[in-house]
């Protein structure tokens, strides 16, 4: 199987005391604190290879580095250390923040073309898919309204429908199933299952460990920026829950 993502000794760090200098007081505070700054590693020496057709679940506590890892894969974040190799000829659909890149003054329809173009799809491809996107998102009456007038549920439904209806080859998902009511969430799960069965490479971040065990063929447990375990979902989930239980 072809390698879609290859990370070698990747580290992403942040200055815990970084502040915006808005005044002389802030500038003086920053100067005084400079010597006390500490570095926080969101990821530390992470090496991971994700192959074509993999369904990978990322688990860990809040702040473990899961979302940071997804953002490295989509080039939203550039690591300070290590190397990242991406398969450039694959259509990648990131569901990191639903509606990321949408313009509030544009209509839902116009935003589909805008966001689709950012994902590498032509206007012709988006136009061909538009009716299905609108129907899945249940926005027939509102698709030509500015998205700034949408409720959060409407906004999320449109973004999910767009990202999953344009037949991506790689899908990166960060806790996005709370995009509507229970009925719509079931629709989302069914669509995700269909895409995975079709061989779409997927990387999930979720706190729903049972869902990941059921859907993924591989699980990666992150803690404080480190890979603790990478292997079969049931084994990784059992180890993770045992460790979390011991801390309770």
């Amino acid at each position: 199987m072809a390698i879609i993502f290859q990370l070698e000794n990747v580290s992403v760090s942040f200055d815990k005391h970084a502040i915006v200098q808005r005044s002389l007081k802030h500038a003086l505070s920053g100067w005084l604190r400079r010597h006390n700054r500490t570095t926080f590693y969101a990821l530390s020496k992470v090496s991971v290879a994700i192959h074509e057709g993999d369904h990978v679940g990322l688990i860990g506590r809040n702040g473990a580095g899961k979302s940071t890892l997804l953002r490295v894969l989509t080039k939203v974040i550039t690591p300070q250390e290590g190397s990242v190799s991406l398969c450039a000829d694959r259509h990648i659909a990131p569901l990191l923040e639903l509606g990321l890149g949408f313009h509030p003054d544009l209509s839902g329809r116009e935003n589909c073309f805008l966001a689709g173009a950012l994902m590498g799809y032509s206007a012709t491809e988006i136009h061909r898919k538009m009716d299905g996107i609108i129907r899945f998102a249940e926005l027939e009456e509102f698709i030509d309204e500015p998205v700034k007038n949408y409720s959060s549920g409407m906004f999320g439904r449109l973004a999910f429908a767009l990202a999953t209806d344009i037949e991506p080859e790689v899908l990166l998902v960060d806790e996005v199933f709370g995009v509507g009511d229970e009925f719509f969430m079931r629709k989302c799960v069914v669509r995700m299952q269909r895409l995975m069965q079709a061989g779409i490479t997927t990387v999930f971040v979720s706190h729903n460990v049972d869902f990941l065990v059921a859907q993924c063929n591989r699980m990666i447990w992150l803690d404080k920026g480190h890979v603790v375990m990478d292997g079969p979902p049931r084994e990784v989930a059992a180890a993770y829950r045992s460790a979390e239980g011991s801390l309770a």
Side-chain angles (χ1 to χ4, degrees), residues 6-20:
Q6 178 82 55
L7 280 64
E8 293 283 351
N9 293 315
V10 165
S11 294
V12 175
S13 61
F14 302 98
D15 187 340
K16 290 179 71 173
H17 296 308
I19 60 172
V20 177

Side-chain angles (χ1 to χ4, degrees), residues 9-46:
N9 293 315
V10 165
S11 294
V12 175
S13 61
F14 302 98
D15 187 340
K16 290 179 71 173
H17 296 308
I19 60 172
V20 177
Q21 306 296 342
R22 295 191 181 92
S23 65
L24 178 60
K25 179 180 178 181
H26 280 106
L28 179 59
S29 172
W31 181 82
L32 292 173
R33 290 162 63 94
R34 220 176 315 183
H35 299 294
N36 295 321
R37 289 178 177 174
T38 58
T39 299
F40 168 75
Y41 279 89
L43 295 176
S44 181
K45 302 294 183 183
V46 170

